[in-house]
Amino acid sequence: LETDPTLLCISAWNENGLGPYVADPSVLERVDSFSGVASLLSVDLLSRELLPAWPASSWDAFLRAEAKRTGRQCLVPEMPRVHHVGEASEDMAKSSDHIITRDAGMFFDASSELEAVDLGDTSRLLRQEYHRRFLEDLAAAKLIDDVDGLPSLHSSTTSAVTTTPPGGAGAGGAGGG
């Protein structure tokens, strides 16, 4: 965060981290949106650029706006490290039933396996290197022309969708799993 000016934040949340489609706790992804939950911002960015214009409400929408992100991205884990507790949400347009149903499908494992994950060489997450790996992964991707080959949302295994990112385990290619 301190060495990469192209980052806005690092988050412990991934709103797309649905089980069983997430599998690798060492994979981190660069995303073009602000997750809004459990995010870390640099003190310099916060004090110099964001706080002077901080809104009285809707801080999450403020940080999601392209005018504030200015092309910067956030790092999110493939597997969320936090989960929503309770019925209230920052998205007040959603009903509490919707929030509970949405969060029930999130992959969250509070076991010791997630307490100390080796993220490997994090230089792979710098914008240029990440982009290079993303294009490499995209070129190696296989076209899926039959949805019957995809794993079921209720499947107990993710082996059909997990891949080893370029550089081996923990390399955190573009999506990785």
Side-chain angles (χ1 to χ4, degrees):
L1 193 56
E2 292 178 354
T3 61
D4 187 348
T6 68
L7 287 177
L8 174 68
C9 72
I10 298 173
S11 180
W13 175 250
N14 179 350
E15 59 194 356
N16 296 311
L18 295 172
Y21 300 109
V22 297
D24 189 343
S26 68
V27 172
L28 300 175
E29 304 167 338
R30 288 184 75 113
V31 296
D32 293 328
S33 61
F34 175 72
S35 70
V37 179
S39 293
L40 176 69
L41 302 151
S42 78
V43 170
D44 184 52
L45 173 70
L46 188 63
S47 62
R48 188 176 35 83
E49 186 178 327
L50 299 175
L51 284 180
W54 202 259
S57 64
S58 301
W59 61 269
D60 52 333
F62 170 75
L63 289 170
R64 285 186 178 106
E66 176 55 33
K68 286 297 164 202
R69 283 191 313 99
T70 60
R72 291 176 289 216
Q73 297 176 308
C74 289
L75 291 178
V76 299
E78 178 179 288
M79 295 172 79
R81 301 306 200 269
V82 296
H83 66 98
H84 187 267
V85 177
E87 295 182 8
S89 173
E90 76 280 355
D91 187 354
M92 298 313 287
K94 303 286 186 186
S95 71
S96 61
D97 289 340
H98 170 82
I99 294 163
I100 292 167
T101 302
R102 175 200 68 194
D103 292 347
M106 297 303 294
F107 185 99
F108 180 76
D109 182 356
S111 72
S112 60
E113 293 175 24
L114 290 182
E115 286 180 13
V117 175
D118 181 4
L119 299 176
D121 180 6
T122 57
S123 67
R124 73 188 186 283
L125 300 166
L126 295 172
R127 179 173 263 170
Q128 288 182 332
E129 178 62 12
Y130 188 88
H131 185 73
R132 183 191 68 74
R133 288 172 183 248
F134 177 85
L135 293 176
E136 192 177 278
D137 286 350
L138 189 60
K142 293 184 175 42
L143 178 64
I144 297 174
D145 57 6
D146 185 358
V147 296
D148 292 334
L150 293 174
S152 163
L153 188 56
H154 304 290
S155 171
S156 62
T157 180
T158 58
S159 61
V161 295
T162 58
T163 60
T164 301

